[in-house]
Amino acid sequence: MRDKKVLSQVSVINFKDGSRQWVMSDPGLNIAPDVATKIEISKNAIDVAKNIGITCPKVALLSAVETVSPKMQSSVDAKAVADYFAENPYDAIVEGPISMDIATDAHSAVAKKYPGEIQGDADVLIVPNIESGNLMYKTITHFIPSVISGAIIGAKVPVVLTSRSDSLDSKLASLELAIQNVVD
């Protein structure tokens, strides 16, 4: 069934007011990915972003901080993944570690004097682990009017992964996402 190195869940979040669209990974498959797995998860998410029309996605490797802290593994991993993409360009801007507020809110990026290219305008959000991703997915689902699709990327056949509590619109969008992103 696998057609890429790593299978990962990628979700596309479309705010119903049309103000935002995010690609998020991996909120539902890889439990505690290592750096090599996070690189592949990022590639899968970038490919999905390109498939939905984002030419050069801005990818935020999320952590609670913007600087590397040896006490916070997500920041160490994010830096290692960002370094990989700096050395192996993938037609994307990949930065990390970066906090959610800086990744998604321009005011926060300015207030915190974040020097990177992502200034509240991230297209892709890479979560550090399944717990943070699942919490984010469920928070958005229940508190922000949106349609969220979820599919397994890297498979030879369409695979949908949704929450039992997802809306019918989200489940239908998940089917569409899965079909559009099967590796030929």
Side-chain angles (χ1 to χ4, degrees), residues 39-76:
I39 289 167
E40 298 304 318
I41 287 169
S42 299
K43 288 179 182 178
N44 287 350
I46 291 166
D47 290 345
V48 169
K50 290 178 180 180
N51 283 344
I52 64 171
I54 303 169
T55 309
C56 184
K58 291 185 174 184
V59 181
L61 303 164
L62 297 177
S63 184
V65 294
E66 303 79 52
T67 57
V68 176
S69 171
K71 293 181 179 182
M72 191 173 299
Q73 190 61 45
S74 63
S75 72
V76 174

Side-chain angles (χ1 to χ4, degrees), residues 47 52 87 114 124 135 137:
D47 290 345
I52 64 171
E87 295 169 12
Y114 181 70
V124 178
L135 287 166
Y137 182 99

Side-chain angles (χ1 to χ4, degrees), residues 20-175:
R20 291 269 172 127
Q21 179 182 56
W22 291 325
V23 174
M24 178 176 62
S25 194
D26 179 341
L29 187 61
N30 293 285
I31 296 170
D34 60 13
V35 169
T37 304
K38 288 178 182 181
I39 289 167
E40 298 304 318
I41 287 169
S42 299
K43 288 179 182 178
N44 287 350
I46 291 166
D47 290 345
V48 169
K50 290 178 180 180
N51 283 344
I52 64 171
I54 303 169
T55 309
C56 184
K58 291 185 174 184
V59 181
L61 303 164
L62 297 177
S63 184
V65 294
E66 303 79 52
T67 57
V68 176
S69 171
K71 293 181 179 182
M72 191 173 299
Q73 190 61 45
S74 63
S75 72
V76 174
D77 289 358
K79 175 72 169 124
V81 174
D83 288 348
Y84 169 87
F85 282 100
E87 295 169 12
N88 303 280
Y90 205 74
D91 291 327
I93 296 164
V94 181
E95 294 182 4
I98 186 171
S99 60
M100 183 68 175
D101 57 341
I102 289 173
T104 61
D105 178 60
H107 175 75
S108 294
V110 171
K112 291 184 171 183
K113 298 180 177 136
Y114 181 70
E117 290 185 61
I118 297 174
Q119 296 286 313
D121 57 350
D123 301 302
V124 178
L125 306 171
I126 304 297
V127 299
N129 54 44
I130 200 169
E131 289 103 345
S132 59
N134 191 273
L135 287 166
M136 186 184 319
Y137 182 99
K138 300 278 173 73
T139 300
I140 292 168
T141 298
H142 293 287
F143 295 103
I144 298 173
S146 57
V147 174
I148 303 179
S149 56
I152 301 301
I153 305 302
K156 292 180 183 178
V157 297
V159 180
V160 173
L161 186 59
T162 61
S163 174
R164 294 179 304 269
S165 63
D166 280 348
S167 69
L168 179 59
D169 286 343
S170 287
K171 290 175 181 176
L172 291 172
S174 296
L175 289 170

